[in-house]
């Protein structure tokens, strides 16, 4: 099994627990405040990972590459907005409805990658993306 696939599956599994733990943790809390606390915990955790992996010396390179830093910052803002809206949706809705709609990000990412990067997708790939979109909508509309 390819390393990227193992990492992607672990990412999906961890993301599933974000939904479950987030839904439980949001009970009686403001979703924006909870998202901010979550972000702070993530930042501390990830700084610890960088230190543990011995990559502290790589930070100046990231910070000095202005183009990379701009897009890393934009990615961070997009991620923060995604989680802000996700926790707002999770507070009001069922995990079984919110999570599938959130996963429409897969569909959006592929469409944007085709438009921005000119990535080519096969007919089978396009059909699978369409099924993901249909599945997300069906799961959200028919609980």
């Amino acid at each position: 099994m390819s390393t990227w696939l193992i990492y992607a599956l672990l990412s999906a599994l961890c993301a599933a627990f974000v939904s479950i733990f987030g839904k439980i943790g949001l009970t009686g809390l403001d979703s924006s405040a909870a998202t901010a606390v979550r972000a702070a915990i993530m930042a501390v955790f990830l700084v610890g990972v960088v230190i543990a992996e011995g990559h502290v010396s790589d930070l100046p390179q990231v910070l000095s590459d202005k183009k990379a830093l701009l897009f890393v910052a934009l990615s961070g803002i997009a991620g923060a907005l995604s989680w802000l809206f996700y926790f707002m949706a999770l507070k009001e809705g069922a995990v079984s409805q919110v999570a599938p709609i959130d996963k429409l990000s897969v569909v959006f990412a592929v469409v944007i990658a085709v438009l921005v990067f000119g990535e080519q997708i096969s007919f089978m790939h396009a059909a699978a993306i369409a099924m993901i979109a249909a599945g997300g909508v069906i799961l959200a509309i028919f609980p």
Side-chain angles (χ1 to χ4, degrees):
M1 188 178 300
S2 298
T3 305
W4 71 264
L5 183 56
I6 293 168
Y7 289 149
L9 289 170
L10 288 170
S11 172
L13 179 63
C14 290
F17 280 105
V18 169
S19 301
I20 302 304
F21 295 152
K23 181 70 174 177
I24 295 167
L26 284 170
T27 304
L29 299 178
D30 174 70
S31 60
S32 297
T35 304
V37 170
R38 176 187 175 276
I41 292 167
M42 286 176 57
V44 169
F45 177 81
L46 291 172
V47 167
V49 168
V50 169
I51 292 168
E53 289 181 338
H55 293 292
V56 174
S57 62
D58 294 329
L59 290 175
Q61 179 185 1
V62 174
L63 297 173
S64 67
D65 184 332
K66 300 301 182 205
K67 180 181 177 186
L69 185 58
L70 170 66
F71 283 97
V72 168
L74 289 172
S75 175
I77 292 167
L81 286 170
S82 171
W83 282 108
L84 181 66
F85 293 132
Y86 186 74
F87 268 35
M88 290 168 75
L90 204 55
K91 184 164 176 71
E92 302 297 322
V95 173
S96 60
Q97 290 177 295
V98 173
I101 292 297
D102 177 65
K103 297 312 172 221
L104 290 177
S105 63
V106 172
V107 176
F108 298 147
V110 170
V111 169
I112 294 168
V114 167
L115 296 173
V116 173
F117 301 124
E119 292 186 11
Q120 300 294 313
I121 60 171
S122 67
F123 174 78
M124 291 298 288
H125 196 161
I129 293 300
M131 286 190 277
I132 291 171
V137 171
I138 290 168
L139 284 168
I141 292 174
F142 303 105

